[in-house]
Amino acid sequence: ENTTELQTQRDQLRHKLQETELRNEELELQLVGLEQRVESRRLEEQSFRKSLRSLLQMLDGKIFELSALRDSLAKLMDSHSS
Amino acid sequence: ENTTELQTQRDQLRHKLQETELRNEELELQLVGLEQRVESRRLEEQSFRKSLRSLLQMLDGKIFELSALRDSLAKLMDSHSS
Amino acid sequence: ENTTELQTQRDQLRHKLQETELRNEELELQLVGLEQRVESRRLEEQSFRKSLRSLLQMLDGKIFELSALRDSLAKLMDSHSS
Amino acid sequence: ENTTELQTQRDQLRHKLQETELRNEELELQLVGLEQRVESRRLEEQSFRKSLRSLLQMLDGKIFELSALRDSLAKLMDSHSS
């Protein structure tokens, strides 16, 4: 191989390497961005489910209170049935 | 009419009047007793209905709270739907 | 006792007996009337309580359905919690 | 520059380019994998919310039925209050 050919090969490789490293950085940014979106989404879901669980517990409470009310009604009926 | 016949009539009427007055007292006692039972029953019913109304109001409250809970659930869903 | 006096006594007794029998009939009518009102009231109460019991059973059903719904919500939350 | 030096440079660049392209492929695989997880998660959430909405509608129905029952109770009380 002569010197000129080697120089050409080296320059082409340098150029290709630069392009590939640029693409690399782009992909890493995309990945970090997506990971951040996933984490933010996860936290939002966590908060949503926490609120849902809290409302579900309140629903439990209301159903319990309704049942107690129903029992009071039944007892009232029994004590006044003659 | 001779005296003997008149005495017999008078004595029979006396006896009949006594029986009728006795029956009268009995009926008056029955009437008072029944009126007392009616009044006692009326008071019992009044108390029963007062308790029923109170439980009905509590039922209203529970249904209102259930509806509020339902609205909170709907708002939560809307605020997290993306 | 002479005949005139006996006749007067007999006539007074007849009159008193008539009055007492009339009062008797009045009392019997009042009693029957009150007994009818009591019976009619009893039947009305019976019908009222039957309706109340029926509504109470429907309330039972609704509370049962609410509880089943609550269980479905809890199962949904558990199956989607990750 | 002499030929030997140029060959060394060229070989180093070739090696570096290979490594960078490998890293590139890795990043692209990670990105595709994460995008697939995000999409699968999105579909799961969508199904979860659809089920939630369906249960919320059933809750609406139950609350409506409870209110109707409450109205029936109130009407019964009114029609029998004497």
Side-chain angles (χ1 to χ4, degrees):
Chain A
E1 298 175 297
N2 59 30
T3 301
T4 311
E5 201 183 325
L6 275 169
Q7 278 180 335
T8 304
Q9 284 186 9
R10 188 198 60 186
D11 292 349
Q12 284 177 341
L13 280 166
R14 267 193 187 140
H15 184 70
K16 178 77 179 153
L17 180 61
Q18 226 169 13
E19 276 183 351
T20 307
E21 278 171 347
L22 219 75
R23 170 77 183 136
N24 230 322
E25 278 167 44
E26 257 174 52
L27 285 171
E28 269 164 357
L29 279 175
Q30 275 186 42
L31 205 58
V32 165
L34 193 53
E35 273 162 356
Q36 278 169 350
R37 272 177 49 211
V38 165
E39 177 62 10
S40 137
R41 182 89 200 165
R42 194 187 65 80
L43 291 174
E44 198 193 329
E45 279 303 314
Q46 206 173 44
S47 144
F48 175 59
R49 274 147 208 280
K50 208 175 161 186
S51 301
L52 262 183
R53 274 184 205 287
S54 160
L55 288 172
L56 204 60
Q57 274 186 324
M58 288 168 75
L59 186 60
D60 272 4
K62 289 307 147 222
I63 294 172
F64 180 81
E65 287 163 18
L66 264 180
S67 296
L69 198 56
R70 185 260 160 229
D71 289 347
S72 297
L73 272 164
K75 268 177 206 153
L76 181 67
M77 299 278 301
D78 287 344
S79 69
H80 282 264
S81 68
S82 52
Chain B
E1 298 174 295
N2 58 31
T3 303
T4 312
E5 203 185 322
L6 275 168
Q7 279 181 332
T8 303
Q9 283 187 8
R10 189 197 59 185
D11 292 348
Q12 284 176 343
L13 278 165
R14 268 195 185 139
H15 183 70
K16 178 75 179 154
L17 179 61
Q18 225 170 12
E19 277 184 348
T20 307
E21 279 171 348
L22 219 76
R23 172 73 184 139
N24 230 321
E25 278 166 43
E26 258 174 50
L27 285 171
E28 269 164 356
L29 279 174
Q30 275 184 43
L31 206 56
V32 165
L34 193 52
E35 274 162 355
Q36 278 170 350
R37 271 176 51 211
V38 165
E39 176 62 9
S40 136
R41 182 87 201 165
R42 194 187 63 80
L43 291 173
E44 199 193 327
E45 278 305 313
Q46 205 173 46
S47 143
F48 174 58
R49 274 147 208 280
K50 206 176 161 186
S51 301
L52 262 183
R53 274 185 204 287
S54 159
L55 288 172
L56 204 60
Q57 274 186 324
M58 288 168 75
L59 186 60
D60 273 3
K62 289 306 146 221
I63 293 171
F64 180 81
E65 287 163 19
L66 264 180
S67 296
L69 197 56
R70 186 260 161 226
D71 289 346
S72 298
L73 271 164
K75 269 177 207 156
L76 180 67
M77 300 278 300
D78 288 343
S79 67
H80 282 265
S81 65
S82 52
Chain C
E1 299 175 297
N2 60 29
T3 301
T4 312
E5 200 184 323
L6 277 169
Q7 278 180 335
T8 303
Q9 285 186 8
R10 190 199 59 186
D11 292 349
Q12 283 177 342
L13 280 166
R14 268 196 186 137
H15 182 69
K16 176 79 178 152
L17 180 61
Q18 226 171 13
E19 277 184 350
T20 307
E21 279 171 348
L22 218 76
R23 170 77 183 135
N24 229 321
E25 277 167 43
E26 258 175 52
L27 285 170
E28 268 163 359
L29 279 174
Q30 275 184 41
L31 206 57
V32 165
L34 193 52
E35 274 162 356
Q36 278 169 351
R37 272 178 48 212
V38 165
E39 177 62 9
S40 138
R41 182 90 199 164
R42 195 187 65 79
L43 291 173
E44 198 193 327
E45 279 304 315
Q46 205 172 46
S47 144
F48 174 59
R49 275 148 208 280
K50 208 176 161 186
S51 302
L52 262 183
R53 274 184 205 288
S54 160
L55 288 172
L56 204 62
Q57 274 186 323
M58 288 168 75
L59 185 61
D60 272 5
K62 289 306 148 221
I63 294 172
F64 180 81
E65 287 163 18
L66 264 180
S67 296
L69 199 55
R70 185 260 161 230
D71 288 348
S72 298
L73 272 164
K75 268 177 206 155
L76 180 65
M77 300 277 301
D78 288 344
S79 68
H80 280 265
S81 65
S82 53
Chain D
E1 298 174 299
N2 60 27
T3 303
T4 313
E5 203 185 322
L6 276 168
Q7 280 181 333
T8 303
Q9 283 186 10
R10 189 198 60 186
D11 292 349
Q12 283 176 343
L13 279 165
R14 268 193 185 140
H15 183 72
K16 177 76 178 153
L17 180 61
Q18 225 168 15
E19 276 184 350
T20 307
E21 281 172 347
L22 218 77
R23 171 75 184 137
N24 230 321
E25 277 167 42
E26 258 174 52
L27 286 170
E28 270 164 355
L29 279 175
Q30 275 184 42
L31 206 56
V32 165
L34 194 52
E35 274 162 355
Q36 278 170 350
R37 272 175 51 210
V38 165
E39 176 62 9
S40 137
R41 182 89 200 165
R42 195 186 64 79
L43 291 173
E44 198 194 328
E45 280 304 315
Q46 206 174 45
S47 143
F48 175 58
R49 274 147 207 280
K50 206 175 161 186
S51 301
L52 262 183
R53 274 184 204 286
S54 159
L55 288 172
L56 204 61
Q57 273 186 324
M58 289 168 75
L59 186 59
D60 273 3
K62 288 307 146 220
I63 292 172
F64 180 80
E65 287 163 18
L66 264 180
S67 297
L69 197 55
R70 187 260 161 227
D71 289 347
S72 298
L73 272 164
K75 268 178 207 155
L76 181 66
M77 300 277 300
D78 288 344
S79 68
H80 281 262
S81 65
S82 52

